[in-house]
Amino acid sequence: MNKKESNTVEASKITLTELMLPSHSNFSGKIHGGYLLQLMDQIAFASASKYSGCYCVTASVDTVDFLNPIEIGELVTLKASVNYIGNTSMVVGIRVVAENIQTGKIKHCNSSYFTMVAKDDNGNSTKVPKLILSNPEEVRRFFDSLRRINQKKKLVSLEEKFDHQSRESLELLKKYNVIVNYSLGI
C-alpha cells in the first residue's frame, strides 16, 4: 500500500444524500434515529478511509444531538470531513441537514463527531498521514476537536476521583431529582 505522509482536509470530504422512505421511519412517523446513526457511521468510515488510505473502524461517537426530526419524503444530506488526527485516529465531523423537496426548506438536524481508527492489513492500528490545515475554518475545527478531547480526559479524571460510597457524594446527590434509599455502613 502506498500511503501518503500528509493529506488535506479537502481529501477527506464526503457528501451522502438519500431520500427518506417509510421503511426508515419509527412508530411516530419520523425517521428512526438508529437509521440516521447507521448513515453517519457509513460516512465517517468513508471519510476516514479516504483520508488515511486504510480500512477504518469506529472507536467512539461523541455528541449525537437530534436537533430536528426528519420526515418521510425529505432529502437528507450528510457532509463529513476529518477535523483532527492523532497517531492512528481521526475525528470526523458530520453535519446532517434535511430538505423538504416541496418547499425547499432546509433544516439542520444533527452534528456529530466520530473517532475512527486506521487499521493495517493485519487489523493492527496504523499511523495516519499528517493533517494539512488550509484555512481558518479548518484550524478552528481542529482546535474544537482538541478541546472536546481534553474535556473528555478531564471528565474521566473526575470520574476516577468520585467515590460513590462516600457520605459527601451522597450529600451531593440531594441537588438532583433522586432519592438515596440506603444507609452507608460507616
Side-chain angles (χ1 to χ4, degrees):
M1 176 179 0
N2 187 12
K3 273 179 58 172
K4 293 183 176 185
E5 193 171 304
S6 61
N7 212 346
T8 62
V9 172
E10 188 66 33
S12 74
K13 289 187 175 180
I14 299 279
T15 301
L16 173 69
T17 301
E18 188 169 329
L19 179 65
M20 294 296 104
L21 303 173
S23 61
H24 303 139
S25 67
N26 59 25
F27 293 113
S28 67
K30 309 296 182 199
I31 299 308
H32 197 285
Y35 183 72
L36 187 58
L37 285 170
Q38 178 185 347
L39 292 176
M40 293 167 73
D41 192 49
Q42 287 175 12
I43 198 168
F45 166 82
S47 176
S49 296
K50 184 178 174 192
Y51 173 81
S52 67
C54 301
Y55 178 78
C56 295
V57 296
T58 306
S60 69
V61 180
D62 189 27
T63 317
V64 180
D65 294 323
F66 295 94
L67 305 173
N68 289 296
I70 300 171
E71 308 291 335
I72 295 168
E74 289 185 323
L75 204 54
V76 170
T77 300
L78 298 90
K79 292 186 178 191
S81 65
V82 170
N83 290 350
Y84 171 91
I85 57 111
N87 289 319
T88 62
S89 65
M90 298 149 279
V91 173
V92 176
I94 302 168
R95 181 177 174 89
V96 180
V97 297
E99 178 182 359
N100 181 308
I101 296 173
Q102 294 171 325
T103 67
K105 182 180 177 193
I106 296 174
K107 60 186 172 186
H108 179 209
C109 298
N110 188 307
S111 289
S112 190
Y113 306 94
F114 280 55
T115 300
M116 308 298 289
V117 176
K119 298 291 185 174
D120 65 17
D121 293 337
N122 298 318
N124 299 312
S125 297
T126 187
K127 195 164 180 55
V128 298
K130 292 178 182 174
L131 183 62
I132 300 169
L133 303 175
S134 303
N135 59 55
E137 181 65 13
E138 292 173 0
V139 171
R140 181 191 66 76
R141 288 179 177 167
F142 183 90
F143 278 118
D144 284 350
S145 292
L146 190 57
R147 180 182 43 77
R148 278 190 304 279
I149 290 165
N150 287 332
Q151 285 174 337
K152 200 175 192 180
K153 286 178 183 175
K154 284 180 187 176
L155 182 60
V156 168
S157 174
L158 285 173
E159 287 174 352
E160 288 172 358
K161 294 176 187 174
F162 179 74
D163 177 8
H164 69 280
Q165 293 185 345
S166 73
R167 206 174 292 283
E168 293 83 19
S169 295
L170 293 179
E171 285 298 316
L172 180 66
L173 288 176
K174 289 182 179 178
K175 290 184 186 179
Y176 301 94
N177 193 22
V178 297
I179 298 170
V180 178
N181 196 17
Y182 69 91
S183 63
L184 287 175
I186 300 176

